Amino acid sequence: MLKALSARSIASRLFLSAAFWSTLILALAGLGLSALNARWTEAHFDDELGVYLKALVANVAIPSDETKGAAPAAVAPQFELAFSGWYWQITRLDATPPEIRASKSLFATQLPRLVAVNPDHGEILSGYVIGPGGHELRMIEREIDAGDEGRYLVQVAANADVIEGQERSFQWALAATFLTLALALIGSTGLAVRFGLRPLRVLQEGVASIRRGETERIAGEFPEDVAPLATEVNQLLDANREIVERARTQVGNLAHALKTPLSVLVNEADSRSPGLPEKVREQTAIMRRQVTFYLDRARVAARARTIGVVTEVKPVVEGLVRTFEKVHAERGLTFAVDMPDGLKFRGEAQDLNDLIGNLLDNAGKWAREGVSVRASREPGPRDAAPFLLAEIDDDGPGLDESARAQALERGKRLDESRPGSGLGLSIVVELAAIYGGSLRLDESPLGGLRAILRLPCV
């Protein structure tokens, strides 16, 4: 049964759970109220019998000469009718045999005594007994000591059907009221569940319309509990769309890059040049480098979308700094690091190593005396994810605005006097873009170039 319930929809689970607990609470409340009403009805009935008992006790305790030994005057008309269901009886306990005076309604029958658990002289006892005709009676009794007049047991009883009738009427009314309340609660629960889960149905319809190709994103206003889910779905769709688009771009770039070496090989083959083997080796080496380059970019793109992969920034940067301090030890360059502990990049450690490493490599080549590395956490707009902001400064000659723009273009080399391929900054731009970040160049307060790297973080 539990397995079947777990397979139901959320709406069914919420509705059945709420209906079960509402019904159980109402049932327990009904039982409690019914028990309280039974006690109250008995207490009220005992109070009514107590009025007659007091009148009889007063008659016995303070007898007049005219009434001594005689039956008391009529307490109420119902005690005068035979077997009416209302009875009283006075028994003198110190006489042998006991002297009994009773209402006319007893009609030569007698009332039994109640058995007291802890008898206390003068205490009023109450309980149920079997009276004339085998009917159940509710009875109260009290034993009094009239001194020289003797000891008496005064009893008053009435048919218990009156109590049962009142309790039954209350129970039927209570059952009808609680049944109506239960139906109202179940109905309101169904409406509340339907209304509360409506945003999920809207979200489901939005996903279905995307799958059918009718829309590209989930649109609409959602409650704050569901809005993050809709945002995550939209971001997942954007990420998938971006991956597909990037794959198309990489395939196109690879095809374009291979086109020239293939044309060279075809031309060499057509001309039957004696240098064909050497040309084949040369062009295939170029093709291998191109394939490796674009495969690396594809791997980076795949890693960039891996969920749950984070890298602590400071250990990576400190490791790179130690490496470059050794590389530039002869020049006496100093590398200053300023960043908090616990700053984490949302991505692979190898990619962070490539990003920061290329920027430190470039800064170290042009710096005169030192390089500064700073990083901090930058909050994202509204509910967007935060970003890691890294700034690498050097005290080199720097670049003007037009030169900074050219430096970010792939394949541009601004100065041949320094070793390297000249592609470092453009690779950083491409790699940062894969992670949804960016690279910007600006003037450094140290007098050289400042590289501002912006990446996603946690």
Side-chain angles (χ1 to χ4, degrees), residues 146 200 243 394:
L200 291 180
I243 289 173
D394 65 71

Side-chain angles (χ1 to χ4, degrees), residues 365-389:
K365 290 175 182 178
W366 296 98
R368 294 189 178 95
E369 296 181 359
V371 176
S372 170
V373 184
R374 293 189 303 170
S376 60
R377 187 175 185 271
E378 181 183 64
R382 297 184 61 181
D383 297 330
F387 273 83
L388 159 69
L389 192 65

Side-chain angles (χ1 to χ4, degrees), residues 164-184:
E164 294 177 0
Q166 292 179 352
E167 291 180 356
R168 193 177 300 110
S169 298
F170 177 81
Q171 289 171 354
W172 279 109
L174 185 67
T177 301
F178 274 30
L179 179 60
T180 303
L181 183 59
L183 293 176

Side-chain angles (χ1 to χ4, degrees), residues 211-337:
R211 179 174 52 81
R212 292 192 299 266
E214 298 174 357
T215 58
E216 293 185 353
R217 295 175 61 82
I218 295 175
E221 295 291 331
F222 293 93
E224 61 181 12
D225 299 326
V226 182
L229 177 59
T231 302
E232 290 295 332
V233 172
N234 281 332
Q235 290 179 352
L236 179 61
L237 293 171
D238 292 341
N240 288 338
R241 194 175 298 113
E242 184 179 347
I243 289 173
V244 172
E245 185 62 30
R246 187 173 293 113
R248 290 174 180 171
T249 302
Q250 297 292 352
V251 170
N253 290 340
L254 179 58
H256 181 74
L258 296 178
K259 187 179 297 183
T260 300
L262 288 173
S263 299
V264 172
L265 291 177
V266 170
N267 292 334
E268 289 292 325
D270 290 341
S271 64
R272 298 183 180 181
S273 171
L276 179 59
E278 184 64 27
K279 186 63 68 173
V280 169
R281 283 191 292 270
E282 175 189 321
Q283 296 302 315
T284 52
I286 295 174
M287 295 167 67
R288 185 180 294 110
R289 286 196 298 271
Q290 295 291 346
V291 170
T292 301
F293 175 82
Y294 286 107
L295 283 178
D296 288 342
R297 300 282 71 75
R299 291 191 194 98
V300 170
R303 290 199 302 262
R305 299 302 173 180
T306 302
I307 298 174
V309 178
V310 294
T311 301
E312 192 163 353
V313 178
K314 194 170 184 179
V316 173
V317 173
E318 289 177 341
L320 289 170
V321 166
R322 286 193 295 270
T323 300
F324 283 107
E325 283 177 340
K326 295 178 181 178
V327 171
H328 300 286
E330 294 182 358
R331 297 171 55 201
L333 287 183
T334 59
F335 289 80
V337 178

